[in-house]
Amino acid sequence: MKILVANLGSTSLKYRLFDFGEGEEALVTRGGFERVEDYREAVDACLRELKEGGFIASEDDLAAVGFKTVLADGVTGCVRLDQRVLEAMEVGNTVAPAHNPAYLMGVRVFSERMPRTPLIGLFETAFYQWIPETAKRYAVPAPWFEAGVRRWGFHGASHKFIAERSAELMGREDVAQRVRQLYVDGGAGQIEGSDLRVISCHLGGSSSVTGIRNGVAIGNSMGMSPQSGLPNNNRVGDVDGFALLHMMRTKGYGPDEIERQLCRDAGLKGLSGGFNDLRDIQAQAATGNEGAQLALDFLIDETRRWLGAYLVPLNGLDALVFTAGIGENRSEIRAGICAELDGLGIRLDPAKNEAVRAEEAEISAADSKTKIFVIPTNEELVVGREVKRFLENN
Ligand code: AMP
């Protein structure tokens, strides 16, 4: 069963083609396009590459196209992207302006090009369906909550991948199995022995931290929108809501200007004075740019703050995981986050940390109570697996 997974950014389209057999899953090919201005051209180019490469004979060879959709009003989990769901995603445009419009556009283009092929979305919020009620809420008046002002959590595909893979690496097949079945039974299966407590740090262009007990998330640093929690490359991260009122009243900014600035000119770019790629920020910091150094320190300290936010409710930590572009590639950031945590039983091995090159590795010191791992994430595989299950059950 061939499933194409499309990962749509505001100016990019990346894809992976999987072939799922009985108990087997193979990545057939992958590709992508940057600086996309016209999604029609990008989708056509993707389908052309698949055909010219001999990976499919025609669009009909694809059992489905899967999408890592972000947010929809009143919809989560793995669902068919029909008109009802697309309308619910449109409501999410205000909250996820950097993400949802790209998906809406991309899905519409795929449905024009392949009207017979099921288009299925696994929403990024799906992993957080079972977090405690307190982790879902803000202390707002009831009508606000009813209007959708609540914490959702994002990066669900990535953190779910880490939940499963870290359990395998910790020798906890019972927990790994629970993660595989999570979207079927909501984590109902029995766990043998002690709790497995994991914190997953997805640090990339977009960043978040998730606490996970026995394969089930207890919360995510992103709240109602993917502009909250940690600073992102150019999106803001946590900011007091009254800051918006202050800027509206003192500077005369309207909602569009606020959105533009907080989604494009903020985050690491705002702090560093215009640099949003961590490689550039580190190069700038090395030349004495104080804003760039502040951006690095801020990312490290905010990640540590969220580590603390989950260490306490988990009552300790068995595995700390780093993933995504920065988590997999930047040893200095990992070292900064793990500095002086030996009182909590978390101790990095500096040589192992330095030696990692975007590969799966354990980087904790021999006497560290908490295992520390680098695990390259595979969000598309998580989407592909759930899409396969959806097709089998529907
Ligand atoms: P992502 O959104 O997961 O692709 O992560 C993007 C971020 O990771 C950018 O800030 C990059 O600077 C950083 N990054 C990605 N790949 C590398 C690499 N090979 N070496 C260093 N940094 C990287």
Side-chain angles (χ1 to χ4, degrees), residues 14 155 202-207 233 268 276-282 299 323-332 357-358 377 379:
K14 293 183 216 151
H155 285 146
H202 176 115
L203 306 177
S206 177
S207 296
N233 59 352
L268 299 178
N276 65 1
D277 186 300
L278 209 86
R279 286 165 282 203
D280 299 335
I281 297 173
Q282 277 179 319
L299 176 63
T323 193
I326 296 171
E328 293 166 27
N329 293 294
R330 306 313 301 191
S331 57
E332 320 83 89
R357 294 284 172 272
T377 195
E379 300 167 280

Side-chain angles (χ1 to χ4, degrees), residues 15 20 23 40 236 270 302 365 394:
Y15 68 85
F20 292 97
R40 281 182 184 79
V236 65
E302 284 292 285
N394 289 276

Side-chain angles (χ1 to χ4, degrees), residues 239-253 258:
V239 64
D240 188 321
F242 275 75
L244 278 60
L245 294 179
H246 174 76
M247 294 306 277
M248 290 167 103
R249 288 188 177 132
T250 59
K251 302 276 184 192
Y253 293 163
I258 296 263

